[in-house]
Amino acid sequence: MAETRTTEAGSTVREYRTEELAEAAGIPVRTLRFYRERKLLPPPRREGRIAWYDDQHLARLRTIAALLERGHTLGGIAELTAAFEQGRDVGQLGELLGIGWSEETPVRLSPEALADYFEGEVTPENLAASLDLGYLATDGEEIVHVSRRLLDVSSALVREGVPLAAVLETGRRVRAHADALAALFTELLSTHMAGDEEAITRLRPLAKSVVEAELTMAMDRLHQKRPQTPSS
């Protein structure tokens, strides 16, 4: 069982022994020790011969698992970890996270600020889902969200009463459709503008306009099909 400790600043932190942290992260103890040897984890707090880990270590392990799931190698994750610890610019972190030329702006947040955004919805399950989707990564004591726009929209939905778990599941489903739309547009340009290396970058705004217009009209059509509530 994890234990709590009160810091000198008066805050309470949850701490884990090696076996407890491995169990919470869903990995073997030998894997945890291997990650520590590869310096993928920050050093634990030592109390005699006991190594104590906290929720930042658990979040880092979940980040590693999410990056491995997305196809990153341990070497690439080590580079990302080093970038975190050296305080590299969030734009460069974005390149390592696989969003190199994205127009999205990553956002740095403290755990407390993230909790404020989502009003009690930052559960371990939602955190793991966000890491798996690649929305979040850890950076020492900070959290990096991959997109200011996604952060603002998802927090607005939560404030309107939509559970964060439902927002994340919808985001997962939207991504599949977005990948298909991106593939369609890329195929269009590859077929008709072969040899123009800058075509995709130059014409991205056109693709965004098409998707936005079609989504708007689709929502209008759905709204028109809904049964109208009789006025009193």
Side-chain angles (χ1 to χ4, degrees):
M1 292 289 292
E3 299 183 10
T4 58
R5 177 176 66 90
T6 302
T7 66
E8 294 181 0
S11 59
T12 300
V13 297
R14 183 167 47 180
E15 294 191 318
Y16 310 80
R17 292 179 174 86
T18 300
E19 294 78 7
E20 295 166 345
L21 181 67
E23 182 179 359
I27 61 174
V29 170
R30 65 178 180 276
T31 300
L32 171 57
R33 288 176 175 151
F34 175 71
Y35 288 165
R36 197 173 72 189
E37 290 168 2
R38 292 287 299 271
K39 301 188 185 302
L40 294 173
L41 288 177
R45 183 180 72 86
R46 290 284 180 177
E47 191 175 87
R49 299 182 62 183
I50 300 176
W52 289 102
Y53 299 87
D54 58 26
D55 283 334
Q56 292 179 22
H57 293 96
L58 181 57
R60 176 66 66 85
L61 288 173
R62 287 173 173 162
T63 299
I64 293 170
L67 291 171
L68 288 172
E69 185 77 16
R70 296 175 65 197
H72 291 263
T73 65
L74 282 178
I77 295 172
E79 182 182 355
L80 177 62
T81 301
F84 283 163
E85 292 173 348
Q86 293 165 13
R88 194 176 296 182
D89 178 79
V90 290
Q92 294 172 290
L93 294 177
E95 292 179 9
L96 293 172
L97 286 167
I99 56 166
W101 60 297
S102 173
E103 297 171 10
E104 298 305 309
T105 303
V107 184
R108 288 183 178 273
L109 298 161
S110 67
E112 294 78 12
L114 183 68
D116 289 342
Y117 262 95
F118 294 105
E119 301 178 351
E121 293 272 333
V122 183
T123 64
E125 294 78 13
N126 287 338
L127 179 61
S130 298
L131 291 167
D132 183 51
L133 279 166
Y135 287 169
L136 297 181
T138 58
D139 180 2
E141 296 184 356
E142 290 185 312
I143 294 168
V144 178
H145 194 291
V146 74
S147 167
R148 163 65 70 184
R149 288 195 294 181
L150 287 177
L151 175 64
D152 289 344
V153 169
S154 56
S155 62
L157 288 169
V158 169
R159 288 195 299 272
E160 290 291 335
V162 181
L164 180 55
V167 173
L168 293 172
E169 177 56 28
T170 300
R172 187 185 301 276
R173 295 167 64 186
V174 166
R175 176 169 295 176
H177 293 291
D179 286 345
L181 290 168
L184 280 173
F185 186 73
T186 301
E187 180 183 2
L188 174 70
L189 295 183
S190 298
T191 301
H192 298 284
M193 303 187 70
D196 187 344
E197 299 294 334
E198 301 298 324
I200 294 179
T201 302
R202 188 174 71 253
L203 300 179
R204 284 180 78 187
L206 300 182
K208 291 162 58 179
S209 295
V210 169
V211 171
E212 183 177 349
E214 287 288 357
L215 178 59
T216 299
M217 291 188 294
M219 295 187 74
D220 288 343
R221 290 193 295 271
L222 285 176
H223 180 72
Q224 290 167 7
K225 290 179 181 178
R226 291 178 58 185
Q228 299 298 312
T229 304
S231 56
S232 55

